[in-house]
Amino acid sequence: MGEFGQLPFFLLIIVVMYFFMIRPQQKKIKQEKEFEAGLKVGDKIITKSGFHGKIAELAETSVVIETMSGKLKIERSAISLELTAALNKKA
């Protein structure tokens, strides 16, 4: 009887872990992939390392950005923020 009494407790722990840890992480990964897929040439961006630039070329996994000091080739996952939409809202 003691073993069966602990089963609902362990199931509850698994359900709580799913809703507070696993599910939010999956949503975040999905949003990041949608963000990366929505990038286009001409978008102004900021990388995770703080570089500001404009997308010059797109490849499957990488991006070439134009900065004031030249062009840089970076991975799509290194892009932190897209500024074009925010700048257009202000105008």
Side-chain angles (χ1 to χ4, degrees), residues 39-54:
L39 294 172
K40 56 191 176 297
V41 173
D43 284 349
K44 294 180 180 178
I45 54 109
I46 299 176
T47 65
K48 290 181 180 177
S49 59
F51 290 111
H52 291 242
K54 185 167 72 170

Side-chain angles (χ1 to χ4, degrees), residues 40-47 50-58 63-74 79 83:
K40 56 191 176 297
V41 173
D43 284 349
K44 294 180 180 178
I45 54 109
I46 299 176
T47 65
F51 290 111
H52 291 242
K54 185 167 72 170
I55 297 177
E57 299 175 30
L58 286 171
V63 174
V64 175
I65 62 170
E66 291 179 15
T67 64
M68 292 183 76
S69 61
K71 291 185 177 183
L72 298 169
K73 184 174 183 176
I74 61 170
I79 298 173
L83 293 173

Side-chain angles (χ1 to χ4, degrees), residues 23-34:
R23 190 166 179 233
Q25 187 66 23
Q26 289 174 339
K27 280 185 175 181
K28 184 178 178 184
I29 290 170
K30 182 180 176 184
Q31 287 175 340
E32 287 177 2
K33 286 187 180 191
E34 288 174 358

Side-chain angles (χ1 to χ4, degrees), residues 40 43-44 82-91:
K40 56 191 176 297
D43 284 349
K44 294 180 180 178
E82 190 268 322
L83 293 173
T84 306
L87 292 173
N88 288 340
K89 284 183 183 177
K90 289 181 183 177

